[in-house]
Structures are given as C-alpha cells and as structure tokens.
C-alpha cells in the first residue's frame, strides 16, 4: 500500500477528469435545454399560424354563406348597397329594379323517351304562341322530347326572329322540366338522320283530341324516332280534353312563355309612361294593309287603295279566297271596324274623350287621313312610335313579331282593352286578361254594330237611340266570367280555348 502523498497526483487527475466530464455534461444539458426551448417556440409559432389560417377560413366561409342567404331573403336595402368593385353608376335607384331574384325551378321529370318532336309554327305571334302551348301538352302526354319550336319566317310578315329572340328560352325549358324534356336542338348523333331524311314529316289533323296523337303520331315516333309537325295552328281541340292537358296549356301560356328581358323592359317603360298620365285604353285597331287584303274589306278606301289590296290578295298564294264581296262581308260582321266606325262606337259606349288611347297595331292603312275622325273624337291618341325614341325601337324594326310582343304586354296592363276584330291577338289577350282577374275587355259585336252604324248614318236613329242600343248590346260583353261555348262536330264555330280557358280560372 502506497503512502497517501503518492496517491494525491492521481487523485488530482481523476478529479480533474470528473470535473471536465461534469462541465461537458452541463454544457451538453444546456444545449439540449436551448434546443428544447427553440423547438417549443417553433411549435408555438406553427400553432399560432395554423390558428390564424383556420380562423380566417372560417370567417370567409361565414361571409360567403351570409351573402348567399342575403340573395335569397336579405333586405332589399342591403342588396342595393354598392360594393368596392362596382362603379357608382351601377347602384343608382333606377337600376335597383334590374336585380333579378334567384329563380327556383322544379325537379326534372324522369320518363322513358318515345322519340323526338320537331315543330314548325305558322302564322303571327299569337297564333304561334297558342301552338307552342299545344305542342308542349302533346309532347308531355306522349312522353317524348320536344325540340324548341321553330317560328314562322315565310308568312306575310317575314319576321326573321327565332324563338330565343322573342321568348326567354332558358326559362321556357327549365320551368317545364317537371313535365317534359325540352332541348334547344337535336342531339348531335340524331342530326345526321335529319340530313339524310330519316324522319317523318306531316301536318297533323286540325282540332284533334289527344287520342289522335296517341294512335296516329306516337307509333310514327316510335318507328322513325323523329317526327316533324310542319303546321301547328289549331291542331289541338278546344274541348273534350283531360283537365290535366287544359291546365298544362294554361301553365305554358301564362307562366312559361315569358318574353325576353329586352322586350319586357321596353314594355314596362311604355306602361310607366302611360300610367304617368292616368288610365289608358288599348285599342287593337286591326286596320293594316295585310288584314284588309286578306279579308277583302275595303269600306272607306279609295279606288287606288282597293286595287292595291286586291292585287296583294291575288299575289299571296296562302290566301285561298280571291273573289270577295266586301259589302256583304261587312254586313255579316266579318270585317274589322274602320277607324271612323270605331270612333262612333267608343263614343256611344261612353268612353271618356280625354282618356289616353294606345293603338296596338302596325301601320294603319290610309295613314293620318283614316285616323282623322278617331283623333278628333279622342285627341289623346298614342302608339309606341310616338311614345318612344326611334333609338328605342331600332332593334325591333322589321321584326313584326317582336313589335307585337310589345303591344301584347301593354294590352295586358291596360284599364280597358278593345279589339276591333276577333283575330288571334284579340282572342289570346282576352283569355290572358280573364286569367289576370277578368280585366275589362270590350268584345264588340260587329254584326250588330254595323247595322246600328248604318241606321245612325242614314238618320234612322238619333244619337241617344244609337248610344243606348250600342250599350245595351254590349252589357254582357265586357270580359266577365262566362261559360265557353261548345259546339260538337263544329270546332271552328265554338269559342276558342285561349280566349276563355275556363278550366284554369
């Protein structure tokens, strides 16, 4: 055993090694502590950024949901507040009304498709309007797909407008999708069949019931896949149809056939201008050249005008009747009233001479000369061409169906509607006004009126006697509720469905 003095240097070395070890361990521990602290700080920062990101996302989601909800039921005041991204001019009071509410359409009806129906409408706007309603109803009850109808471009009016130029085509399709599938055009795979003539074409029998279409048209659809009906006027009966078909015709007419936004807006503008000056009467003065030529009615026309009307009738291949006795036709009540006759009748009915009269018509044959008597009796005569600037109507010129659509809208809103001839517009507007609450529509009995007018002009009747007789003859012809006249086996002579759709009122 060595003496203690000899052990001391080794102990010293050992203690120094231990001290170095302890210092190293302490330094290592401090580094780990620092690293741990750094990791904790880093984790805290990451959590903070994540929390901020989640919070921002939640807030943004809430804002989007609130905006979406606001579009559906939010106050109109909030919806009219300007946004930072929109110019101030977009938020003026006049443009608030242009904000369109969100449309909600019915779910699609699912059914086995029996084929594709193409239809070509013929005639003027309101004749085509009624035909479209009929064709939708037929397509629905045959379980087929309807292609958006083609409009007449070859008739006297030669209007080049397509369906989408007059009607809101998307609303038409979507609003009826729970009843029938409607496409803007044939699927591409079927277009080739049209090109090579692999389809069937025919004009259906007039005034037919739904049984005819099930027995005659449906087999053709199943066989040929595509059927083209090339005439559509009056092809569905007025009466004897299931209630569901009658109601669907009304739904198409009064709800789904909405005019384009451009036509609707101009119509509202005309109505506002008229309303600013009080109540107004719409006079459907059917005294255009084509009407007179077609009917052969020449009362009040000079020799040159009569010759021009006759030449037009003979030149038109669609008008079968050529030789016409105008005096006989007038006495039978088959002619539109002349402007002079109309002035007498309105005065006899007690219409206020100062009321605004909006003439819903094309160019009156004979111009200002023929309107002189009417303007003298009712000086507040207006028409779209005098109310609106030329720039407003620039888009509509040479588009007679679009012009007729504008007159249609104004006619619906008038305080009184008076047609001087029972053509398609007179009938369809009459029915629509009934649907809107039996608005006052004076349905002139022309056969009675012509006899009374001739007696008054010859001096056989005094003014008071004439006025009393005119009022008495029309006491129950003011658009009030009444049953539609039905004449079995004589559909042309019975009341038109669209003038009195009683099943829908």
């Amino acid at each position: 055993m060595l003496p203690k003095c000899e052990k001391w240097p080794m102990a010293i070395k050992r203690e120094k090694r231990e001290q170095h070890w302890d210092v190293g361990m302490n330094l290592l521990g401090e580094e780990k502590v620092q690293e741990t602290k750094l990791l904790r700080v880093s984790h805290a920062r990451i959590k903070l950024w994540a929390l901020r990101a989640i919070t921002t996302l939640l807030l943004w989601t809430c804002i989007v949901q609130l905006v979406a909800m606001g579009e559906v039921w939010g106050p109109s005041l909030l919806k009219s507040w300007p946004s930072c991204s929109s110019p101030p001019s977009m938020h003026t009071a006049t443009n608030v009304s242009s904000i369109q509410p969100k449309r909600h359409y019915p779910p699609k009806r699912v059914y086995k498709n029996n084929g594709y129906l193409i239809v070509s409408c013929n005639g003027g706007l309101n004749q085509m309007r009624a035909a479209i309603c009929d064709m939708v109803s037929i397509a629905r009850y045959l379980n087929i797909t309807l292609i958006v109808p083609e409009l007449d471009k070859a008739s006297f009016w030669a209007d080049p407008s397509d369906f989408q130029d007059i009607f809101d085509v998307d609303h038409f399709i979507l609003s009826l999708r729970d009843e029938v599938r409607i496409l803007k055009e044939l699927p591409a795979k079927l277009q080739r069949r049209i090109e090579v003539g692999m389809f069937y074409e025919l004009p259906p029998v007039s005034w037919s019931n739904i049984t005819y279409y099930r027995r005659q048209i449906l087999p053709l659809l199943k066989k040929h896949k595509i059927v083209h009906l090339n005439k559509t006027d009056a092809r569905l009966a007025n009466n004897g149809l299931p209630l569901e078909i009658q109601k669907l015709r009304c739904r198409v007419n009064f709800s789904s056939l909405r005019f384009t936004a451009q036509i609707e807006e101009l119509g509202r503008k005309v109505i506002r201008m008229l309303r600013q000056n009080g109540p107004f009467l719409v006079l459907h003065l059917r005294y255009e050249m084509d009407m007179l030529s077609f009917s052969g009615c020449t009362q009040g026309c000079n020799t040159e005008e009569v010759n021009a009307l006759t030449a037009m009738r003979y030149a038109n291949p669609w008008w079968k009747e050529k030789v016409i006795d105008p005096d006989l036709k007038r006495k039978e009540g088959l002619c539109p009233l002349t402007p002079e006759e109309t002035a007498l009748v309105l005065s006899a009915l007690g219409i206020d001479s100062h009321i605004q009269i909006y003439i819903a018509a094309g160019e009156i044959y004979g111009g200002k000369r023929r309107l002189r008597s009417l303007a003298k009796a009712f000086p507040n005569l207006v028409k779209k061409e005098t109310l609106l600037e030329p720039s407003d109507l620039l888009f509509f010129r040479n588009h007679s169906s679009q012009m007729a659509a504008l007159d249609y809208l104004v006619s619906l809103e008038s305080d009184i509607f008076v047609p001087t001839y029972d053509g398609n517009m007179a009938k369809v507007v009459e029915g629509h006004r009934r649907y809107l609450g039996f608005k006052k529509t004076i349905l002139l009995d022309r056969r009675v009126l012509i006899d009374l007018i001739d007696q008054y002009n010859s001096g056989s009747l005094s003014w008071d006697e004439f006025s009393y007789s005119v009022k008495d003859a029309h006491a129950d012809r003011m658009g009030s509720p009444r049953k539609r006249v039905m004449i079995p086996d004589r559909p042309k002579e019975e009341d038109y469905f669209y003038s009195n759709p009683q099943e829908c009122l």
Side-chain angles (χ1 to χ4, degrees):
M1 189 172 180
L2 294 172
K4 288 183 180 179
C5 59
E6 292 178 358
K7 292 180 181 177
W8 184 76
M10 293 178 66
I12 292 298
K13 289 180 180 179
R14 189 166 55 250
E15 287 178 3
K16 286 183 177 180
R17 282 196 303 271
E18 290 174 355
Q19 288 175 357
H20 284 300
W21 175 263
D22 291 338
V23 171
M25 289 302 291
N26 288 336
L27 289 173
L28 184 60
E30 288 178 3
E31 288 177 0
K32 286 185 176 180
V33 170
Q34 292 296 327
E35 185 178 346
T36 302
K37 287 181 178 179
L38 289 171
L39 286 172
R40 286 176 179 173
V41 171
S42 178
H43 288 161
R45 287 177 177 173
I46 291 172
K47 287 180 180 179
L48 180 62
W49 282 108
L51 183 61
R52 287 176 178 173
I54 293 170
T55 303
T56 302
L57 183 61
L58 287 172
L59 286 172
W60 179 252
T61 303
C62 291
I63 290 170
V64 170
Q65 291 295 324
L66 286 170
V67 169
M69 291 170 68
E71 288 180 355
V72 177
W73 53 262
S76 58
L77 177 62
L78 292 176
K79 285 193 272 186
S80 65
W81 282 358
S83 67
C84 298
S85 60
S86 301
S89 61
M90 292 297 290
H91 303 283
T92 59
T94 56
N95 284 311
V96 172
S97 63
S98 65
I99 299 173
Q100 295 295 322
K102 205 167 188 178
R103 296 178 184 175
H104 298 280
Y105 292 108
K108 293 180 180 179
R109 174 173 170 255
V110 179
Y111 58 92
K112 181 182 177 182
N113 183 35
N114 287 321
Y116 295 82
L117 181 65
I118 300 174
V119 297
S120 296
C121 301
N122 57 298
L125 174 68
N126 292 285
Q127 184 172 314
M128 293 191 291
R129 183 186 185 101
I132 292 166
C133 300
D134 289 350
M135 294 300 115
V136 169
S137 302
I138 291 165
R140 162 62 178 84
Y141 284 92
L142 296 185
N143 287 333
I144 55 180
T145 297
L146 176 68
I147 308 304
V148 168
E150 301 170 352
L151 302 189
D152 191 345
K153 297 180 175 64
S155 63
F156 171 83
W157 302 276
D159 187 334
S161 300
D162 290 318
F163 187 99
Q164 63 270 19
D165 297 321
I166 299 174
F167 300 106
D168 184 338
V169 65
D170 292 323
H171 175 75
F172 174 70
I173 292 171
L174 294 172
S175 66
L176 290 167
R177 65 182 183 178
D178 61 328
E179 295 283 2
V180 63
R181 184 182 179 215
I182 304 175
L183 301 178
K184 292 183 180 179
E185 56 185 17
L186 273 173
K189 62 182 179 181
L190 295 176
Q191 289 285 0
R192 179 63 181 162
R193 295 175 69 96
I194 296 294
E195 294 170 4
V196 298
M198 294 177 62
F199 66 97
Y200 198 89
E201 183 175 17
L202 78 160
V205 177
S206 298
W207 312 112
S208 298
N209 60 29
I210 203 66
T211 303
Y212 163 80
Y213 286 94
R214 283 186 177 139
R215 292 179 179 174
Q216 303 294 325
I217 306 301
L218 186 56
L220 293 173
L221 281 156
K222 289 182 175 180
K223 179 180 179 180
H224 299 280
K225 194 72 173 177
I226 303 169
V227 168
H228 178 207
L229 302 183
N230 53 24
K231 280 192 176 182
T232 59
D233 61 316
R235 303 296 153 162
L236 194 56
N238 292 313
N239 306 299
L241 298 175
L243 182 61
E244 293 79 8
I245 291 182
Q246 302 290 53
K247 286 185 175 292
L248 182 55
R249 293 163 98 179
C250 292
R251 177 179 169 185
V252 181
N253 191 24
F254 304 136
S255 179
S256 298
L257 279 179
R258 179 184 295 172
F259 293 122
T260 63
Q262 186 174 16
I263 294 173
E264 293 269 353
E265 181 56 37
L266 195 58
R268 286 192 292 268
K269 182 176 180 178
V270 173
I271 293 163
R272 283 195 303 269
M273 295 173 76
L274 290 166
R275 284 274 175 240
Q276 287 172 0
N277 297 315
F280 68 96
L281 178 152
V282 167
L283 178 65
H284 184 42
L285 188 60
R286 197 71 172 91
Y287 207 76
E288 302 97 338
M289 186 177 185
D290 66 294
M291 181 69 240
L292 300 180
S293 178
F294 170 75
S295 63
C297 298
T298 57
Q299 177 74 11
C301 296
N302 58 40
T303 304
E304 184 180 349
E305 290 170 336
V306 171
N307 291 337
L309 294 173
T310 305
M312 175 185 283
R313 183 166 68 254
Y314 275 89
N316 196 314
W318 295 287
W319 300 342
K320 304 302 180 185
E321 191 178 14
K322 303 299 183 183
V323 180
I324 299 174
D325 183 340
D327 293 328
L328 178 61
K329 200 162 190 178
R330 176 176 173 270
K331 287 184 180 297
E332 291 177 346
L334 300 176
C335 287
L337 292 185
T338 67
E340 297 86 358
E341 293 166 345
T342 302
L344 278 176
V345 170
L346 293 181
S347 297
L349 286 168
I351 301 296
D352 185 352
S353 62
H354 298 293
I355 194 172
Q356 297 174 98
I357 294 185
Y358 175 92
I359 298 179
E363 185 177 352
I364 302 302
Y365 194 58
K368 290 183 179 180
R369 176 179 64 85
R370 295 307 302 271
L371 286 172
R372 193 174 295 130
S373 297
L374 185 60
K376 183 178 179 180
F378 298 92
N380 291 327
L381 285 183
V382 295
K383 51 185 180 178
K384 50 188 173 291
E385 290 85 358
T386 59
L387 287 172
L388 298 169
E389 297 294 330
S391 58
D392 291 326
L393 291 170
L394 186 63
F395 180 81
F396 296 87
R397 295 204 180 278
N398 301 318
H399 294 80
S400 58
S401 291
Q402 295 185 46
M403 287 286 215
L406 186 58
D407 284 341
Y408 186 95
L409 289 171
V410 181
S411 298
L412 289 185
E413 294 299 319
S414 63
D415 297 280
I416 307 173
F417 176 65
V418 184
T420 61
Y421 186 74
D422 55 353
N424 286 293
M425 177 166 173
K427 291 175 180 177
V428 177
V429 169
E430 176 194 346
H432 205 150
R433 286 173 66 86
R434 287 178 180 275
Y435 179 79
L436 294 174
F438 300 99
K439 302 176 78 171
K440 190 172 183 177
T441 302
I442 303 178
L443 306 170
L444 301 178
D445 188 334
R446 293 188 305 281
R447 187 167 188 171
V448 170
L449 286 173
I450 291 304
D451 182 52
L452 291 173
I453 289 169
D454 287 346
Q455 289 187 61
Y456 171 71
N457 286 334
S458 68
S460 301
L461 288 177
S462 68
W463 174 256
D464 289 341
E465 290 171 328
F466 173 69
S467 179
Y468 174 81
S469 298
V470 170
K471 289 175 182 175
D472 184 59
H474 294 85
D476 61 348
R477 297 175 66 90
M478 299 287 179
S480 55
R482 63 177 175 84
K483 285 285 186 179
R484 191 169 64 241
V485 175
M486 304 180 188
I487 307 176
D489 303 322
R490 288 190 292 169
K492 290 184 179 181
E493 298 176 31
E494 64 185 9
D495 282 353
Y496 191 38
F497 171 80
Y498 291 99
S499 66
N500 187 13
Q502 62 189 32
E503 295 88 341
C504 312
L505 303 182

